[in-house]
Amino acid sequence: MGGNGGTGRRGLRRPLLWGAAALAAVLLAVGLWAFEPWRLVTTRVVDEDLPAVSGQADPSPSEGAGEPAGAGGGKEEAPAEEVRPEEAGPEVLAEGEFVSQEHGTSGTAKVIELADGTRHVRLEGLATSDGPDLYVWLTDQEAGGDWFKYRDGRHLDLGDLKGTHGDANYAIPDDADIDGMTSVVIWCDRFSVAFGSAPLDL
């Protein structure tokens, strides 16, 4: 009788063990999907030049180019070179240094405007952590402090973070109203936290 009871108890334990193992496997899979822990040791480096005016035309040749020296009589002075609007450097509308929040973050954020009126957020010397669902936001909330506030205010999503380190450009839509925006934020959408933010004065 006693032997049969022990066998029965062992038989009951097996389904419980299999159920616990299956639950642990599911929890592990969900944890790996959500946290992607391998990103703690990964970096993505980007090195983009300053944005340029699109469709920039080639300089037109000067009048008289290709004429033999001395043609047309006396010596003519070369016309003074003029800097065309599209050749001018971008105007910096605002800039600020990153402060760390959920993860250590450093570098500079700038809002720049090109001669053709297009605007960009440029991140220079950025250094932050990798993570899932990272985006670059322009927001009307102050940099630093509690990161939950960024969900409550007005924000403009400029797209995926291109790299955790280096220099990168993020185009601002032509019809976007950026008046009153006060910070650039590296935002982790999956966990609703800010990795870091930089103050602006637009």
Side-chain angles (χ1 to χ4, degrees):
M1 296 289 291
N4 291 336
T7 303
R9 284 193 295 272
R10 285 195 295 273
L12 289 174
R13 288 195 193 102
R14 288 195 186 97
L16 292 175
L17 290 174
W18 282 113
L23 179 60
V26 170
L27 292 175
L28 177 62
V30 171
L32 291 174
W33 169 84
F35 293 97
E36 299 183 18
W38 56 88
R39 287 184 178 269
L40 294 174
V41 294
T42 61
T43 58
R44 292 175 289 136
V45 181
V46 62
D47 183 17
E48 292 185 347
D49 293 330
L50 279 164
V53 174
S54 60
Q56 182 172 323
D58 293 332
S60 57
S62 302
E63 289 185 11
E67 293 182 1
K75 183 178 180 181
E76 295 183 2
E77 294 183 1
E81 292 186 3
E82 295 183 1
V83 177
R84 298 180 298 170
E86 62 267 25
E87 293 174 342
E91 177 186 359
V92 177
L93 303 180
E95 68 177 291
E97 298 296 317
F98 273 99
V99 294
S100 299
Q101 290 181 269
E102 176 65 10
H103 292 278
T105 303
S106 61
T108 303
K110 297 179 180 180
V111 177
I112 60 177
E113 183 174 347
L114 304 186
D116 63 358
T118 57
R119 298 164 300 175
H120 303 259
V121 166
R122 178 168 172 82
L123 306 185
E124 294 183 341
L126 177 68
T128 190
S129 298
D130 202 357
D133 294 338
L134 294 183
Y135 299 92
V136 177
W137 281 10
L138 266 175
T139 84
D140 64 353
Q141 302 295 304
E142 293 183 359
D146 183 3
W147 56 69
F148 296 106
K149 63 188 175 185
Y150 298 115
R151 281 283 192 199
D152 299 330
R154 183 167 64 99
H155 73 270
L156 178 64
D157 185 350
L158 300 180
D160 295 346
L161 182 70
K162 296 178 181 179
T164 59
H165 291 70
D167 307 333
N169 307 308
Y170 300 84
I172 299 173
D174 293 339
D175 59 352
D177 178 12
I178 63 173
D179 288 343
M181 296 299 194
T182 58
S183 65
V184 171
V185 178
I186 307 300
W187 181 255
C188 177
D189 199 52
R190 184 170 299 176
F191 297 106
S192 292
V193 296
F195 278 27
S197 54
L200 301 175
D201 185 14
L202 287 167

